[in-house]
Amino acid sequence: NAGVMQNPRHLVRRRGQEARLRCSPMKGHSHVYWYRQLPEEGLKFMVYLQKENIIDESGMPKERFSAEFPKEGPSILRIQQVVRGDSAAYFCASSRNRTPNTEAFFGQGTRLTVV
Amino acid sequence: DQQVKQNSPSLSVQEGRISILNCDYTNSMFDYFLWYKKYPAEGPTFLISISSIKDKNEDGRFTVFLNKSAKHLSLHIVPSQPGDSAVYFCAASVNNAGNMLTFGGGTRLMVKP
């Protein structure tokens, strides 16, 4: 049973370009969570999705960021018109159920660098 | 406003001794607390958790203590091993918020042989 798969592992974008980060949850998991880790900081919750639905996006910046989790395929975190401040590690976690918390597994992350 | 704080960015311990990592929180709605371990270039892996109805949870070499009145928790690792060297994150949630976790800034633990 493969773990949470994120790709790409590293992504370099120029300012103004779009970044698309993919997350394939573990088999049987229908809940996906995206977190962002800025340099030297802890992880910060961005968005929680369940198949085809955004459950909570309270941590998402209001502009340029969007997320989806279609019926088929991976969850996508999309960042439009990237700026240098978007440079961070983006982690996805998945779980089978909403709770308990211990059953969430994290992917290895995508490191976005904006140049 | 940081709701979960780990005030020690780093900790160095000799192999075989006890490692104590501390975490403070401000939101009294938090009722579930977790510790994650993270190696470089990898995602966090779950280590141990504690519900607010308990004050201690033990799993092998790892014990988490919760002091609700002080809004403080700690992770004890005994005995410490070089393989424990990693960044440790404290996280908290309101249980009905599922896996929407609020993380502390992390403590880098170095266990010297």
Side-chain angles (χ1 to χ4, degrees):
Chain A
N1 187 11
V4 178
M5 303 298 291
Q6 290 188 249
N7 68 82
R9 292 289 309 276
H10 300 274
L11 182 62
V12 179
R13 284 287 177 266
R14 294 188 186 279
R15 280 179 295 169
Q17 290 184 318
E18 178 180 288
R20 291 170 75 88
L21 288 64
R22 294 174 188 77
C23 169
S24 296
M26 285 181 69
K27 188 176 179 181
H29 287 193
S30 60
H31 301 254
V32 164
Y33 313 82
W34 284 93
Y35 288 83
R36 175 166 67 173
Q37 183 184 22
L38 294 170
E40 307 303 319
E41 295 188 14
L43 284 76
K44 290 196 170 27
F45 167 77
M46 298 182 75
V47 61
Y48 162 35
L49 309 102
Q50 190 180 3
K51 278 291 184 181
E52 300 185 272
N53 294 305
I54 296 174
I55 307 300
D56 189 313
E57 54 182 349
S58 57
M60 287 275 271
K62 294 287 183 272
E63 296 177 349
R64 302 188 297 108
F65 285 72
S66 63
E68 62 177 12
F69 189 16
K71 188 176 179 181
E72 302 291 336
S75 175
I76 306 286
L77 179 67
R78 184 180 174 209
I79 311 172
Q80 295 177 292
Q81 300 174 320
V82 295
V83 301
R84 289 233 169 95
D86 297 333
S87 295
Y90 291 82
F91 292 96
C92 164
S94 76
S95 66
R96 185 181 301 274
N97 300 307
R98 185 182 172 93
T99 58
N101 293 316
T102 54
E103 293 182 354
F105 297 86
F106 281 84
Q108 292 184 299
T110 293
R111 275 145 190 86
L112 172 66
T113 302
V114 179
V115 298
Chain B
D1 174 33
Q2 258 192 302
Q3 298 187 60
V4 178
K5 286 186 182 179
Q6 294 175 254
N7 290 319
S8 298
S10 65
L11 174 68
S12 183
V13 169
Q14 203 67 35
E15 181 179 7
R17 306 295 289 268
I18 184 171
S19 296
I20 300 176
L21 297 98
N22 293 303
C23 177
D24 297 292
Y25 61 96
T26 56
N27 188 344
S28 56
M29 295 295 292
F30 288 144
D31 59 3
Y32 203 85
F33 304 90
L34 308 90
W35 285 93
Y36 282 84
K37 178 179 179 180
K38 185 180 180 302
Y39 293 116
E42 293 187 12
T45 55
F46 169 74
L47 201 55
I48 192 169
S49 64
I50 189 166
S51 164
S52 60
I53 62 172
K54 294 186 174 181
D55 54 18
K56 177 183 174 182
N57 188 27
E58 192 172 350
D59 183 2
R61 297 187 296 115
F62 303 91
T63 303
V64 57
F65 296 92
L66 175 63
N67 182 335
K68 280 178 294 187
S69 60
K71 293 192 177 70
H72 176 85
L73 64 155
S74 61
L75 174 68
H76 293 211
I77 307 174
V78 180
S80 301
Q81 299 173 354
D84 295 330
S85 298
V87 178
Y88 289 78
F89 289 99
C90 165
S93 77
V94 177
N95 198 46
N96 63 4
N99 286 295
M100 297 182 318
L101 302 171
T102 301
F103 281 84
T107 296
R108 184 178 303 277
L109 173 66
M110 291 161 284
V111 180
K112 295 181 284 188

